Amino acid sequence: MNLFSLIRNAALDLMKNVEVQAIIGPKSSMQAEFVADLGGKAHVPIISYAATSPSLSSSRYPYFIRATLSDSSQVKAISSIVNAFGWREVVPIYVDNEFGAGIIPFLMDDFGKINTRVPYRSVIPSSATDYQIVAELQKLKRMRTRVFVVHMLPDIGTKLFIRAKQLGMMRRGYAWIITDALTNGLRNFDDSVIETMNGVIGVKPHVPQTEQYKNFTKRWKLMSEKMKPGDLTPKLDVLDLRAYDSVTALAMAIERLSLSSGGFYKQNNSGNSTDLETFKISKIGPILLDAISSTRFSGLSGDFHIVGGQLQSPAYQVVNVIANVEKGIGFWTAENGIVRQLNSRRSKTSSSLKSGFGAIVWPGDTVNPPIGLVIPKDGKILRVGVPKNAGFLEFVNVTEDPEASNKTKVTGYCIDIFEAVMKFVHSPVLYEYSPYDRKEDDSYYNDLVYHVYEGKFDAVVGDVTIIANRSKYVDFSLPFTESGVSMVELFAILQYEELSQDSMKEVGSPTMKEGKKAVQKTGRGSGRGDRRHNTLDFF
């Protein structure tokens, strides 16, 4: 008989024969779903400290109380990490059961809000062999995405990281984020397992280090050493603490109601009722459910507060596995997002979300954040044409690079705009600037644009005007600034044409011929570059 059948039979026996008034457990989401359904039929509160699947809710199972956090509560913390480092593609890796799949719709929704794609979902069977895990990891290794979010329990999650290490997927360029299902157990993993997870980032609920918590852990250590002398005392994780808080909440609710005993009454069923339909119904179930739901106290794991059958979410701690040790690097709160200290706020003047983190060591023992995507070694390099000394140098300026011989350095306003846009491209793009080195004349910018049509350049960046003739050959970006030079020149010519030569002489003004020369000279001096300027663009 498998574990699920044993739990099913135990739950049936407790409700039908023992007539218990409440049940604490079971530990998994798959088991909890069946038990919660039985609890609804018998009006027996089911208090779970470990069932985290978002599909388990009080709307579906009215007598189900989740005394732990739903997996969906950590999604915003994860998406904030992804957004902070600008990763535009993420692959979730999860186990193929209700626990694993429950978080995926929430991840997809939040990743969509930050413009991050999920090109592939890696689903691992719950009873996967090492061969199956390796086969899936090899598939991921062939992909360009290098950011993975792992949502698994420790039994299979640790196997995954051992194999990932062996396949070279824990080196520089990779980023791994683990959910609290794995992060909560980091301190109890063997050293051989932790060694394979160096560089991993994890999230877990923040547990306040109160005096109550410290005293309890001391007592736990003394009791463990007394019961098993010489054995290594296992460290308590958040689920252990929530189990203790669940018992405390039930005891407080019963004491407040002054319940010494309850009772059950039979349902009016037909003679053909099945075993599940012959449940007796608890007389005190409804009031006990309300009493547990309204119980609030400061427990070992933090504030115990149930709303809508769900434990309310605290802050999340973000940790980094460095040198085989779990180290805190920041926190996430619903109010302030990512912050360095729990009681601090992120500076409004900070230009980067990454400033909320402490020092991070990534896979491969590097402090440089991965870009999240691999650039193929044989990938095409885009040739970006730029005008050389042909226009305003503030827009594009080509100079000799003092740090490298036989190389040029390209700067300017248009270059800054182009490079800022390239940072938002989903895939990393290799490109190089190719200065268009030719004497400037009236056809200079036309020829520069036409070289894109001919295939000599893949794009052009610079102070290039959008005009109808050029648009026949290339596509332009939207304009991002205006020069206004042509309007000044046209206005000056019209003014001179409206004056007669005699009237200009009478007031000591230059002749019409001299006036036109002056205007043309002014136009060359202030309208340097593409003199058809109405807008400045790149494409």
Side-chain angles (χ1 to χ4, degrees), residues 144-163:
R144 66 178 187 177
T145 308
R146 289 293 182 263
V147 182
F148 306 108
V149 175
V150 181
H151 181 56
M152 294 178 170
L153 294 172
D155 57 346
I156 190 169
T158 52
K159 293 180 181 179
L160 179 85
F161 279 101
I162 291 172
R163 298 306 175 191

Side-chain angles (χ1 to χ4, degrees), residues 391-392 394-395 440 463 465 481-494 519-536:
F392 288 107
E394 291 79 6
F395 288 119
E440 181 186 5
D463 51 339
T465 302
T481 189
E482 295 182 358
S483 69
V485 173
S486 60
M487 293 182 67
V488 174
E489 186 175 2
L490 178 61
F491 176 76
I493 292 174
L494 289 175
V519 171
Q520 290 171 357
K521 183 177 180 181
T522 301
R524 283 195 297 270
S526 61
R528 184 181 176 213
D530 192 357
R531 298 191 184 97
R532 296 181 178 84
H533 282 331
N534 287 320
T535 55
L536 299 174

